[in-house]
Amino acid sequence: MVSDVHLQGFGDDTNRELEASFLSLIAYCTAQNLTLLILGDLFDYWMEYPRQKYAPAFGEPILKALKHHGEQVEPVLYITGNHDNWTFGHIASPEIEVEAEHRMISFDNRQAILFHGDGLADTAWDYQRPLYHRLLRNPSFIRVYQTLSSPKFGVWIMSRFSRLTRMLNISDPEPLNNLAKKMLYQSNIDLVFCGHDHLPRLIDFEGGTYMNLGAFHLHRTVGLVRQGEPMLFQWNATQGTLTKFTG
């Protein structure tokens, strides 16, 4: 599983290298028959205009590879994040399951929760998204925004806004650490997986284990679960190998 790839968020050379690195990881997962889970911010910005049947063309090589993986192994789970949540049907397919909130799954009888990390709609966890994140997801705001802006201009604005918010982001591990600790202590959840704050880490708390996948675009970090045990690796696209992440 991976998080925070932020494709198309950088200069041309970096974008090409990052896309090639991620495509090689998808191919590796397909060859190794590994289930692929994406926990948000795959793209640095993403906006579909369903009425105009428009979606950013830069996503097609990645989506094609993900669909191939979904055909060969099993459907890819794609949980959207705060940079790529404006999906209206273009990505979803029998090969790619799109989830806007969180997903509960089981790894060898260990209950796991997967989400991006910018917030949860479920009020039980008292971890709301920031106000402007909730505004950006509001259907009325989206309708007005897409009425006032053409697809290309609207996506251009979003690309600039996404880059600015990513550059201004100050990473702090404590909010998600505290949330994971609460989830593991107060529920039957055994494993917590997310990303968002770009700080890769694997922590054992009372009641289970928390993994933050970090930012693939920074660390090339990849999470694996084997026999119910989570492990954090680093992808080397040149060698086509995963090695244990040591920070």
Side-chain angles (χ1 to χ4, degrees):
M1 68 185 77
V2 297
S3 181
D4 296 272
V5 186
H6 286 278
L7 293 163
Q8 287 298 121
F10 311 95
D12 290 344
D13 290 343
T14 300
N15 284 336
R16 282 191 292 269
E17 191 277 330
L18 180 58
E19 181 178 280
S21 180
F22 190 64
L23 284 170
S24 68
L25 175 64
I26 297 172
Y28 175 87
C29 291
T30 304
Q32 298 295 320
N33 201 42
L34 297 173
T35 301
L36 186 54
L37 310 169
I38 301 170
L39 305 194
D41 290 359
L42 172 60
F43 299 107
D44 195 60
Y45 55 94
W46 184 266
M47 184 190 302
E48 299 167 23
Y49 278 68
R51 284 181 295 176
Q52 291 89 338
K53 298 182 179 179
Y54 172 88
F58 63 75
E60 291 311 306
I62 295 295
L63 298 180
K64 181 179 178 181
L66 292 178
K67 287 181 180 179
H68 175 71
H69 177 86
E71 291 172 348
Q72 298 298 312
V73 183
E74 64 177 276
V76 175
L77 173 61
Y78 179 6
I79 299 175
T80 59
N82 52 297
H83 282 253
D84 55 2
N85 62 77
W86 284 7
T87 61
F88 302 104
H90 181 77
I91 295 175
S93 69
E95 299 80 26
I96 306 175
E97 298 180 31
V98 177
E99 170 62 62
E101 294 295 338
H102 70 276
R103 181 69 63 90
M104 303 292 297
I105 64 175
S106 179
F107 292 106
D108 293 286
N109 296 318
R110 300 190 76 186
Q111 185 76 355
I113 184 169
L114 287 69
F115 57 102
H116 176 59
D118 63 316
L120 292 167
D122 186 347
T123 57
W125 298 115
D126 190 25
Y127 193 72
Q128 280 197 327
R129 294 184 175 91
L131 180 60
Y132 80 92
H133 286 194
R134 300 200 299 273
L135 173 65
L136 291 174
R137 287 175 180 253
N138 184 277
S140 296
F141 173 81
I142 296 170
R143 184 167 53 252
V144 170
Y145 183 91
Q146 296 197 340
T147 299
L148 296 177
S149 64
S150 67
K152 289 186 177 180
F153 185 62
V155 170
W156 181 84
I157 293 174
M158 188 179 188
S159 71
R160 295 302 182 269
F161 179 73
S162 293
R163 185 171 297 190
L164 176 64
T165 57
R166 177 169 44 79
M167 291 173 61
L168 293 177
N169 181 54
I170 300 175
S171 296
D172 178 4
E174 288 309 306
L176 283 169
N177 284 359
N178 292 334
L179 175 64
K181 188 185 301 184
K182 181 165 64 174
M183 287 177 162
L184 294 167
Y185 182 72
Q186 296 182 359
S187 72
N188 64 344
I189 294 172
D190 305 297
L191 302 169
V192 175
F193 298 97
C194 67
H196 182 59
D197 66 21
H198 295 186
L199 299 172
R201 54 201 185 274
L202 186 62
I203 305 174
D204 289 319
F205 289 121
E206 183 179 354
T209 302
Y210 164 51
M211 176 187 286
N212 191 295
L213 295 161
F216 184 86
H217 77 89
L218 289 173
H219 313 286
R220 299 297 191 269
T221 36
V222 178
L224 271 74
V225 182
R226 291 175 176 164
Q227 296 181 335
E229 292 299 324
M231 296 169 284
L232 199 55
F233 289 87
Q234 193 165 38
W235 173 242
N236 185 313
T238 302
Q239 299 178 6
T241 58
L242 290 169
T243 56
K244 189 175 181 181
F245 179 73
T246 58

